[in-house]
Amino acid sequence: MTQVFKFGGASIQNAAAIRQLGELLARFRSRPLVVVVSAMGKTTNALEALLAAAREGDTENYRERLERLRRDHLAVVEALFGDQAGPVTSQVEALITELDRRHQRHAGQARPFHYDQTVCFGELLSTTIVSAWFEAAGMATQWCDARELVITDDGHQAANVDWQATAERVDELATEDGRILVTQGFIGGTADGSATTTLGREGSDFSAAIFAYCLDAETVTIWKDVPGLFNADPRRVSNAQQLERISYQEAVELAWHGAKVIHPKTLGPLQRKAIPLKVRSFENLEAPPSVIGRDTRFDSQLPSLVLREEQTLLEIHPRDFAFMDETRQHDILGRLAAAGLHAGLIDSGAMRLSLCLDGHPERLEPLVDALCQEYAVTRHDALTLVTVRHADEALLAALSAGRDSLAERRNADTAQRLFPAAQCRGTWHLPT
Ligand code: ADP
Ligand code: ASP
Ligand code: MG
């Protein structure tokens, strides 16, 4: 049965990392194998900055950024292939030329469409280099174009997958011929092939799940710079512990509340076909992975903590002492959805709706302006949303000590509090 491996930006950030990946595959590959790869390092951020420069009309900045992208990728090719670099260098040069050409062609179009036609090149470049390296390392490899496999609608920057069309395309992949199939995470295409689409930032985990679902894969392994899924971000919380086995539902809750280790959309397709998801380290190959599956028995053994940074709280009140009734709530939440904003905490009162939102200025500002036309809106910026699962009173009290909560929500297994970011900086410790 097919295995799906996913490698994120950190695992291919330079030539040494790509070399290590070759060794990892030589050791752990099974057949058939589909490898889903993100853009190298922080390339997607670099492409977003390039796009922003161009759309602001700063041609010089755009040219500089394009040249840096070209140089950085060519340096990796040079370091990997040395005097055999010729063919891959030509492929990278061709992709950079194509990026420039597409970008110019679509410059007059709406930003989300333009974004997808430009930012997809991060994954096109990385997979070109990585698949050539696997081949050079003696592993027969085939590069596959996810734009022709992952079929989506035209919801640019957050495209919805057409599962039937995707299953039909993926079914045609020659998974059985022994070659490693290398494809791009994050990107897809419309059915008529006229446009590239993207699945949302950090969407490569979801891509791996899409391939696994369509191939009825045995497992998906997401190789990370941490040994697995922890009960808190191990980079923020000094005593975070690895969750060795947890359920799809529990993992979805953590991801939805902002645990950045897995894209929340990843779990649904895997749950539907009971495909286990392993999260394991590409740095420490001996470390046991976290396994996410059907078993719910271990979900509440440890409390878990998620910190969501750069939050904004909007407190929205109807004018003239009117109720915040269902019609008004529907109106406000509809506007939120239309703006593509996520509310990590929603709380309401007779004359109030409180929303805690990710601070995307370009989406938030127009929403706030529009709401202010009809409602009285109070706004607090620079907040951190703290979500705790399976916590008792003592733990909640200890986490809140010395912090001023601006909003709260609580149900049987989840408690959320919103604190000023200034009170949440630095390393945390989960009280035991
Ligand atoms: P990728 O490049 O594969 O997409 P990410 O950077 O998105 O990898 O995810 C890995 C990072 O997720 C880790 O470096 C870690 O700091 C962070 N992280 C946040 N929450 C958790 C958690 N609960 N468990 C493990 N890692 C977490
Ligand atoms: N390269 C994309 C991003 O940085 C997708 C991913 O890495 O998952 O958002
Ligand atoms: Mg990620």
Side-chain angles (χ1 to χ4, degrees):
M1 268 176 105
T2 308
Q3 308 276 342
V4 177
F5 283 2
K6 180 257 168 171
F7 294 100
S11 64
I12 50 161
Q13 61 186 322
N14 53 36
I18 295 173
R19 257 193 219 105
Q20 254 183 8
L21 208 68
E23 287 164 26
L24 182 159
L25 270 199
R27 183 167 157 194
F28 288 99
R29 73 168 294 193
S30 55
R31 295 182 172 79
L33 177 67
V34 174
V35 175
V36 176
V37 181
S38 302
M40 288 173 55
K42 303 281 178 212
T43 302
T44 306
N45 292 353
L47 283 160
E48 285 188 348
L50 172 140
L51 183 77
R55 290 188 75 88
E56 282 159 17
D58 190 345
T59 312
E60 198 180 323
N61 189 1
Y62 166 79
R63 286 275 148 223
E64 265 172 36
R65 288 184 176 279
L66 187 68
E67 179 52 26
R68 201 176 312 152
L69 207 68
R70 178 178 165 274
R71 255 198 338 257
D72 289 351
H73 283 83
L74 287 179
V76 172
V77 172
E78 176 68 35
L80 283 172
F81 300 94
D83 56 11
Q84 307 292 308
V88 192
T89 299
S90 309
Q91 284 178 292
V92 168
E93 294 278 20
L95 282 168
I96 297 284
T97 306
E98 179 68 6
L99 159 60
D100 190 26
R101 202 176 60 79
R102 289 260 193 114
H103 160 78
Q104 308 282 359
R105 171 143 51 99
H106 300 301
Q109 310 263 12
R111 187 183 180 280
F113 175 84
H114 192 198
Y115 178 103
D116 285 355
Q117 312 320 303
T118 307
V119 172
C120 62
F121 279 88
E123 272 71 10
L124 294 172
L125 284 160
S126 68
T127 48
T128 298
I129 297 172
V130 165
S131 64
W133 176 250
F134 291 168
E135 192 73 43
M139 295 176 281
T141 304
Q142 187 190 336
W143 182 90
C144 307
D145 192 336
R147 294 170 295 183
E148 293 167 5
L149 296 167
V150 178
I151 304 304
T152 72
D153 65 7
D154 60 0
H156 289 286
Q157 288 195 262
N160 296 298
V161 175
D162 177 337
W163 289 94
Q164 193 175 338
T166 302
E168 283 164 15
R169 300 282 184 99
V170 171
D171 203 41
E172 287 165 20
L173 278 177
T175 50
E176 300 294 340
D177 74 356
R179 286 185 292 177
I180 299 173
L181 304 184
V182 172
T183 192
Q184 305 77 40
F186 180 53
I187 73 175
T190 51
D192 62 3
S194 64
T196 300
T197 56
T198 61
L199 304 171
R201 286 302 306 263
E202 299 290 331
S204 295
D205 298 337
F206 181 37
S207 300
I210 296 169
F211 282 99
Y213 179 89
C214 294
L215 291 163
D216 285 320
E218 188 176 359
T219 55
V220 176
T221 307
I222 302 194
W223 298 84
K224 294 273 173 188
D225 59 359
V226 284
L229 180 60
F230 281 60
N231 67 336
D233 184 347
R235 295 188 201 288
R236 287 298 303 281
V237 179
S238 59
N239 59 341
Q241 285 176 261
Q242 186 171 343
L243 303 166
E244 281 170 20
R245 302 192 74 84
I246 67 160
S247 70
Y248 298 114
Q249 292 94 309
E250 187 64 22
V252 162
E253 289 288 343
L254 295 178
W256 171 260
H257 285 110
K260 290 225 163 112
V261 62
I262 309 174
H263 191 288
K265 284 189 180 171
T266 311
L267 283 315
L270 302 182
Q271 186 272 342
R272 283 198 283 283
K273 290 210 172 164
I275 300 169
L277 172 64
K278 294 185 184 168
V279 182
R280 67 183 294 183
S281 166
F282 62 79
E283 287 168 342
N284 178 2
L285 301 179
E286 311 309 325
S290 294
V291 183
I292 301 163
R294 279 198 164 154
D295 196 344
T296 55
R297 273 178 302 164
F298 306 101
D299 287 353
S300 55
Q301 273 185 343
L302 287 175
S304 46
L305 172 75
V306 181
L307 302 175
R308 202 173 178 115
E309 313 284 358
E310 292 176 40
Q311 301 293 294
T312 292
L313 175 67
L314 299 183
E315 287 168 331
I316 307 160
H317 305 270
R319 296 213 170 99
D320 306 323
F321 216 72
F323 291 131
M324 179 53 80
D325 58 12
E326 285 72 12
T327 308
R328 291 196 174 87
Q329 293 198 25
H330 180 256
D331 166 47
I332 295 167
L333 294 177
R335 293 175 194 224
L336 207 68
L341 280 163
H342 169 74
L345 183 154
I346 302 176
D347 182 44
S348 63
M351 283 173 281
R352 171 185 58 85
L353 183 65
S354 299
L355 302 174
C356 172
L357 305 172
D358 283 334
H360 292 290
E362 76 287 356
R363 298 185 200 168
L364 198 57
E365 301 309 332
L367 175 80
V368 174
D369 288 348
L371 287 173
C372 285
Q373 309 280 321
E374 282 170 57
Y375 301 93
V377 181
T378 319
R379 172 175 175 168
H380 307 265
D381 287 310
L383 306 174
T384 299
L385 179 61
V386 177
T387 302
V388 198
R389 301 223 352 120
H390 314 297
D392 59 20
E393 287 306 324
L395 187 140
L396 275 178
L399 281 177
S400 305
R403 301 190 168 107
D404 306 305
S405 178
L406 280 87
E408 309 196 356
R409 201 182 68 97
R410 178 103 198 244
N411 62 29
D413 47 25
T414 308
Q416 294 185 288
R417 291 194 178 160
L418 191 59
F419 299 120
Q423 297 175 352
C424 296
R425 294 200 217 294
T427 304
W428 283 53
H429 187 81
L430 256 173
T432 45

